[in-house]
Amino acid sequence: MNETYYEFGTAADRWDRARMFFEAKEYVTAARILGGLVEEAPEQVAPRLLLARSYYHSARLARAEEELRAVLELDPVESYARLMLGRTLERRGRRAEAATQLRMAAALTGDFGPGPATPAG
């Protein structure tokens, strides 16, 4: 990989730059920067999660799934990673696996959808 200006600087500089590219919907560039950050600090959840989101939005679903699973290894109750994993699995046509992850995400956030109707009384 040829290094470019946005891959230089402190980790904080690169994190800010990666977020800027992500927000500009330049997901491939964001992923390129974030990949380096994840290599340097594989135990940090935030760069991995943004890397997974970058992969998801650039339709690199196998990579997104891999990063999301790594996030969940580090933080099993990371509800957004569960939700994203469910959505990623849906896009990959793995509906049964997706449903499990989506149910877990709902349980973690307490979002169980509309409850049963209660009779007027």
Side-chain angles (χ1 to χ4, degrees), residues 28-76:
V28 172
T29 303
R32 187 171 175 179
I33 298 166
L34 290 161
L37 290 171
V38 167
E39 283 180 23
E40 290 173 26
E43 73 286 352
Q44 291 188 359
V45 170
R48 279 193 181 277
L49 189 53
L50 192 58
L51 178 57
R53 292 176 65 197
S54 297
Y55 286 148
Y56 178 87
H57 288 297
S58 59
R60 294 185 285 176
L61 301 177
R63 287 184 174 185
E65 179 182 349
E66 181 180 321
E67 287 303 323
L68 290 164
R69 291 191 187 280
V71 166
L72 292 168
E73 284 274 324
L74 295 168
D75 186 357

Side-chain angles (χ1 to χ4, degrees), residues 56 59-66 69 85-95 97-98:
Y56 178 87
R60 294 185 285 176
L61 301 177
R63 287 184 174 185
E65 179 182 349
E66 181 180 321
R69 291 191 187 280
L85 181 56
R87 298 290 180 231
T88 300
L89 293 168
E90 280 180 335
R91 284 181 69 185
R92 296 192 77 193
R94 293 161 50 195
R95 302 240 183 264
E97 286 178 82

Side-chain angles (χ1 to χ4, degrees), residues 1-8 32-33:
M1 170 184 340
N2 292 330
E3 289 188 351
T4 57
Y5 78 95
Y6 46 77
E7 294 167 314
F8 290 101
R32 187 171 175 179
I33 298 166

